[in-house]
Amino acid sequence: MKHVSIVILSLALAACGGSGGGASSKGDLAAQACDAYAKGQLDGKPYELDLGVLAASMKDDGSGLMLLSSPIVIQPGHPAESKQSLECQVRFTEGKPAPDVTRLQFIW
């Protein structure tokens, strides 16, 4: 019985996961919001953006906003391919499921 309790407790703790990597972590939500905003700014141009890298980069900018950054490749594989950095600033508002993008910048 003791071993069964330990296994159940271990599974329960693993399911909780913490704040670092679940599909609904704040970093993941912020990265998804930035991705959607970037898609709108790029007017249908194809691009490659690693959402995991973007989510992991999230940090508080000191004013209550969160800053994310990641490499982005616009029009990969085309003669007009452009490798840039993406900076995205978001604000989480209590009661809203997704953050608001307050600034998005492509850096050459």
Side-chain angles (χ1 to χ4, degrees):
M1 187 65 158
K2 181 178 178 181
H3 296 290
V4 172
S5 297
I6 292 172
V7 170
I8 291 173
L9 181 59
S10 296
L11 290 173
L13 288 173
C16 291
S19 63
S24 62
S25 76
K26 281 191 163 189
D28 291 330
L29 292 171
Q32 291 166 9
C34 293
D35 182 42
Y37 198 90
K39 187 176 290 187
Q41 296 295 306
L42 292 171
D43 295 325
K45 291 179 185 171
Y47 64 94
E48 293 177 350
L49 177 64
D50 187 332
L51 294 182
V53 170
L54 188 61
S57 75
M58 187 173 82
K59 59 185 167 207
D60 191 331
D61 75 351
S63 70
L65 301 174
M66 304 306 281
L67 181 64
L68 297 89
S69 61
S70 174
I72 185 170
V73 180
I74 301 168
Q75 295 185 321
H78 292 91
E81 177 178 290
S82 176
K83 294 181 181 181
Q84 301 180 28
S85 292
L86 175 79
E87 274 191 2
C88 182
Q89 192 174 42
V90 301
R91 174 181 337 163
F92 286 93
T93 304
E94 193 165 331
K96 287 184 75 177
D100 296 312
V101 175
T102 60
R103 181 177 62 86
L104 183 99
Q105 185 174 4
F106 297 97
I107 302 169
W108 292 83

